[in-house]
Amino acid sequence: QVFPSQDPLDRADFNAVEYINTLFPTEQSLANIDEVVNKIRLKIRRLDDNIRTVVRGQTNVGQDGRQALEEAQKAIQQLFGKIKDIKDKAEKSEQMVKEITRDIKQLDHAKRHLTTSITTLNHLHMLAGGVDSLEAMTRRRQYGEVANLLQGVVNVLEHFNKYMGIPQIRQLSERVKAAQNELGQQILADFEEAFPSQGTKRPGGPSNVLRDACLVANVLDPRIKQEIIKKFIKQHLSEYLVLFQENQDVAWLDKIDRRYAWIKRQLVDYEEKYGRMFPQEWYMTERIAVEFCHVTRAELAKIMRTRAKEIEVKLLLFAIQRTTNFEGLLAKRFSGCTLADGTVKKPEVPPPSTNPFLEDETGTETDEIVIEKSDMDKPKKPKVPDNPFHGIVSKCFEPHLYVYIESQDKNLGELIDRFVADFKAQGPPKPNVDEGGAVLPSCADLFVYYKKCMVQCSQLSTGEPMIALTTIFQKYLREYAWKILSGNLPKTTSSSGGLTITSLLKEKEGSEVAKFTLEELCLICSILSTAEYCLATTQQLEEKLKEKVDASLVERINLTGEMDTFSIVISNSIQLLVQDLDAACDPALTAMSKMQWQNVEHVGDQSPYVTSVILHIKQNVPIIRDNLASTRKYFTQFCIKFANSFIPKFINHLFKCKPISMVGAEQLLLDTHSLKMVLLDLPSIGSQVVRKAPASYTKIVVKGMTRAEMILKVVMAPHEPPVVFVDNYIKLLADCSTDTFQKILDMKGLKRSEQSSMLDLFRQRLPAPPSGVENAGSLSLSAPTPEQESSRIRKLEKLIKKRL
C-alpha cells in the first residue's frame, strides 16, 4: 500500500466474491446492476487515463537530465579556461615587475652596504681614538673621564666581534683588554694605599679620585668591584675583631649589647666619611652590616662552644632578645637586597614566617597572650612582611637552645606540682549554679604559659627546638590530664561498689545509698568542662605549632594522643555521673522486684518506688544540667548513657516481679508509663525553660520503655487459647529468644507443665529465620538445655499416646 485508502478494492486481502455480495446483498438489489457496472467501467477508464498520463510524462525525463549534464560540463570547461588565462597573465605581470625593479634592488643593496661601511669606519675611528685616549688617561689617573670613555669603547668594541679575524681589529681589542687590566690593578693599588689592610698607618679619607675609581670599577670585570668591597669591609671591621676577641670580657653574651652599639657607631661614621665615595647602587652600608653579622655569628658560635657550661637560660634569652632586636633594626634600615648577591655569603634564612601573632611578639618578654575560647572564631591577622635578616646572627644560638628547652621542662614540672598543691589546699571549686560548671583556673594558666613558651621559642628557632618543645608540651598535657583532672575525680572504688551491692540487698525502700554530694557532683562537672576546654585548646595549640614550625617538620607535630587523653577524662566523668544516678535508683528497683504483685487488689496512683526514682532524678539531673550549661552536648551524652543503663536494668527487674496478677500488671504498666514520661522529660526536668529533648535521646527512651510496656501487655493477655497468646507475644515483642518467653511465662505464674507445652508451641510458631548469619544464630539459640531436652521427651510421649 503506497497511499492510504478506504476503498475496499485497495485492500491487500481483497475478495471479489465478498465485494460483490456487499454490492448486491439481496435479490432485489440486482435491479440496478447496470448502473453499478457503468460506474465501475467509468472508474477503469479514469485509472487508464491517469496511468497513460504518468507514463508519457516519464518518457522525456532521461533526455532532459542528459542535456542538463552536458550544459554543466560545458560551463565547467569555460570556467577552467578563464582561470588558466588569468594565471598566465599574472605570471607575465610578475616577470615584468621583476625586470622593472632589478636595477632598483641593486641600488638598494649598494646603499645598505655603503651605509654599513661608513658606520663601521666611524666606529673604527672612534675605537682607535678611544683606545689611545684611554691609555693616556689611565697613566694620568683621570678616572672621571675614563669611566665614561671606557664604557663607550666597550660598547663600540662589541660591534667588531664579527671582525676579530682582522689583525688590526684583534690588536685594538687586546689593547682595550690590557687597558682594563691595568686600570683594575691600578685602582686596587690606589685603594690599598688609601686603606692599608696591615700596618699602623691610619686609613686615608675619601677622595674624588677614589670616587671616580669606583665608577670605573663598575665598568670593569665584576671581580675588581668585589675585591674593592671585600678589602674595604675587611679593613673597616678589623678593629671589631681586635676589640671583641674571644679572650676579652666584652666578647661574652652578657655584654652582647656592646657589639651592636659598636656597629651602629661604625655605620654612622661610615655614612659621614665615605657615604658619597661609593656609588649608591653598591649598598656599602648594608654590606658592612651583613658582613658584621656573619663575623659576629661565627665569633659567638665559637665562644659558646668553648664556654658551653657557662650558658644559663636567662643569659641565653637576654642574648637572643638583643640579637633579634638588632635584626629587626636592620630590617627597618635596609632592604636585604645584598643577601642574595654573590659578593656576600648568603646567610641561612628560615622559610617565610606565618606567625599570626607577630605584633604581639614585638612586646617585652613579660607579655602574656591568653588563648581564649573564641580564638577559633577570630579572623587571622594579615600576614606581615618577612624579615630578610631574621636568623642572620641568632642562628648561632640554635645549637644551645636545649638549655632553654630543659628550663621549660623544669618550669612546667614545677607548675604542675603547684597546681596539685593548690588544688589540695583550696579544695574543689565552689558550686555556682548561675555560672554553670566552672573551668579550673589552672588550665588557663597552663595554656597561657604554653602560649608564652611557643611565641618565645618561635622567635628563637622554628626548627628542631620547636619539635623538642612540642614533646615537652605533650608530656605535661598528659600529666595535667592524669594528675589534676583524673586524679581529682571522686573515687568509686570498692567502698562505693560495696555500698551499691549492699543497697541492692536491702529490702527496705528508701534505705540510704552512697551518693555523691552536691560538691562532688559540681567537681565532676567542673573537671568535665575543664577537659572539654583543654581538648578544644589543644587542637588550637596543634594548629598554631604547625603554623610556626618549618614546613618540613609539620608532619612531626601530632597532639592526637593528648586530645584522646582529654576525651577519656570526659568519658570517665560522664560515666561517674551515670553510675551515681544509676546506683541511687537501684534500691527502688529492688523494692519493685520484692513486692507481692499477685496480691495487688486495685490500681492506684504510681507506686512508691516510682516516686523514689523520680526524686533521685530531680535531685541530680538539674545540678548536672546547670553545671554543664556551657557544654550542652556532653549533658546530652549523659542523658543517653543513663537511659541506656537504666532502661535495661528496669526491664531485668520487671522480669523478677513474679507472679503477677492482672491488677498487678495494670499497676506496673501505669508505673512504667510514669517512668517513661519522666525519662522523656529528663533533659529539661526541674528547669524553668522547657526545651525539646534531642531526637537521638527520645528515640532510645521510646524504644526501651515501649518494650517494657509490651512485656506487661503480654503478661496481661490471657494464656488461653495458647496459640493466640504465642502469636500475640511474637507480634508485640518480636523476640525470638526462648529465654525471654520463659521469663514471661514465669511472670504469669504458669506451672512447669503448662510452660513446657507453651514453649513447644512457641518454637513451632516462630517465623522462619533468614539464611546466613541469623540462621546460624537461631541454631545456636536452639541448642537444647537439659530442661528443654526433657520437655521434648514429654512431647514425644504425648504424640505416641495420641497415635495409639
Side-chain angles (χ1 to χ4, degrees), residues 498-566:
L499 285 168
T500 306
I501 292 166
T502 53
S503 69
L504 286 171
L505 297 173
K506 287 180 183 177
E507 296 184 12
K508 277 189 178 181
E509 187 186 342
S511 57
E512 290 299 319
V513 183
K515 283 183 63 180
F516 289 139
T517 62
L518 174 62
E519 288 75 14
E520 286 175 328
L521 285 176
C522 291
L523 173 61
I524 295 171
C525 293
S526 183
I527 288 174
L528 193 155
S529 299
T530 305
E532 192 264 343
Y533 171 75
C534 290
L535 178 64
T537 315
T538 302
Q539 190 173 355
Q540 293 178 41
L541 177 68
E542 183 183 62
E543 291 171 5
K544 298 301 177 189
L545 285 167
K546 286 182 177 179
E547 283 178 17
K548 291 180 181 294
V549 80
D550 291 346
S552 59
L553 301 174
V554 167
E555 295 300 323
R556 291 173 60 185
I557 291 180
N558 185 0
L559 302 185
T560 308
E562 288 63 42
M563 288 188 260
D564 290 345
T565 303
F566 288 117

Side-chain angles (χ1 to χ4, degrees), residues 717-761:
H719 62 276
E720 293 292 344
V723 174
V724 176
F725 176 76
V726 170
D727 288 347
N728 191 40
Y729 168 84
I730 294 171
K731 179 183 175 183
L732 290 176
L733 283 178
D735 190 341
C736 298
S737 169
T738 52
D739 292 342
T740 308
F741 189 67
Q742 178 83 52
K743 290 175 183 176
I744 297 284
L745 298 178
D746 288 341
M747 291 172 75
K748 287 186 71 67
L750 295 181
K751 295 176 183 178
R752 285 292 172 186
S753 58
E754 293 175 321
Q755 288 189 18
S756 174
S757 59
M758 281 282 193
L759 282 167
D760 293 337
L761 185 61

Side-chain angles (χ1 to χ4, degrees), residues 76 141 152 209 272 303 325 404 485 510 539 547 585 761 803:
I76 290 169
R141 283 185 166 79
V209 174
E272 291 176 356
I303 195 170
N325 288 347
Y404 171 76
L485 300 181
Q539 190 173 355
E547 283 178 17
C585 296
L761 185 61
R803 294 246 178 121

Side-chain angles (χ1 to χ4, degrees), residues 254-419:
D254 58 345
K255 296 183 177 62
I256 200 167
D257 278 342
R258 297 193 183 182
R259 293 177 181 267
Y260 304 132
W262 182 89
I263 190 61
K264 288 174 190 174
R265 289 195 304 272
Q266 288 298 313
L267 291 178
V268 171
D269 183 54
Y270 166 80
E271 291 285 355
E272 291 176 356
K273 288 185 179 180
Y274 307 106
R276 296 182 181 178
M277 188 173 84
F278 293 98
Q280 201 170 7
E281 64 270 17
W282 284 22
Y283 302 105
M284 283 301 290
T285 315
E286 184 176 325
R287 290 178 190 277
I288 293 169
V290 169
E291 186 61 27
F292 165 82
C293 291
H294 290 312
V295 171
T296 302
R297 186 170 70 181
E299 290 293 314
L300 287 174
K302 185 166 64 173
I303 195 170
M304 283 193 289
R305 278 197 302 272
T306 309
R307 303 171 63 176
K309 293 181 180 179
E310 299 177 38
I311 300 175
E312 296 176 354
V313 179
K314 288 184 180 178
L315 180 63
L316 184 67
L317 291 179
F318 166 78
I320 292 173
Q321 187 197 13
R322 293 294 186 268
T323 302
T324 49
N325 288 347
F326 175 69
E327 289 171 352
L329 192 67
L330 291 180
K332 290 178 182 177
R333 174 67 179 79
F334 304 118
S335 63
C337 59
T338 62
L339 293 173
D341 196 338
T343 58
V344 180
K345 191 174 97 174
K346 188 176 178 182
E348 299 173 20
V349 181
S353 168
T354 54
N355 181 5
F357 297 102
L358 196 61
E359 290 177 17
D360 298 326
E361 291 167 14
T362 56
T364 61
E365 286 185 10
T366 56
D367 286 346
E368 292 184 351
I369 302 124
V370 183
I371 303 178
E372 296 291 345
K373 281 189 179 181
S374 59
D375 272 4
M376 295 284 282
D377 305 325
K378 291 180 183 175
K380 289 188 178 178
K381 295 179 183 176
K383 189 175 177 183
V384 296
D386 301 326
N387 177 1
F389 295 94
H390 177 69
I392 193 169
V393 179
S394 56
K395 204 78 175 174
C396 68
F397 297 111
E398 195 162 310
H400 303 278
L401 283 177
Y402 67 88
V403 177
Y404 171 76
I405 302 298
E406 288 171 0
S407 167
Q408 296 307 331
D409 189 3
K410 182 182 175 185
N411 292 345
L412 281 166
E414 292 172 356
L415 191 65
I416 295 292
D417 292 340
R418 181 163 64 80
F419 289 160

Side-chain angles (χ1 to χ4, degrees), residues 70 85 194 213 253 259 278 442 449 488-489 514 526 528 684 701 759:
E70 287 172 1
D85 291 344
L253 299 181
R259 293 177 181 267
F278 293 98
S442 57
Y449 193 84
N488 288 310
L489 281 173
S526 183
L528 193 155
S684 58
V701 173
L759 282 167

Side-chain angles (χ1 to χ4, degrees), residues 5-34:
S5 173
Q6 299 296 327
D7 195 337
L9 292 170
D10 291 334
R11 288 174 60 182
D13 56 346
F14 174 73
N15 189 321
V17 175
E18 288 182 4
Y19 183 66
I20 292 170
N21 289 334
T22 306
L23 292 176
F24 307 106
T26 59
E27 290 182 10
Q28 288 79 8
S29 60
L30 291 172
N32 59 349
I33 188 169
D34 295 332

Side-chain angles (χ1 to χ4, degrees), residues 433 436-437 516 518 521-522 524-526 528-529 573-574 576-578 580-581 616-632 634-636 638-639 642 683:
V433 178
F516 289 139
L518 174 62
L521 285 176
C522 291
I524 295 171
C525 293
S526 183
L528 193 155
S529 299
S573 303
I574 294 172
L576 271 180
L577 295 171
V578 171
D580 179 56
L581 185 54
H616 288 303
I617 288 175
K618 285 185 175 179
Q619 283 176 351
N620 280 31
V621 174
I623 297 169
I624 295 168
R625 182 183 59 242
D626 293 340
N627 278 280
L628 294 181
S630 58
T631 53
R632 186 78 190 173
Y634 293 117
F635 175 67
T636 304
F638 159 76
C639 294
F642 174 70

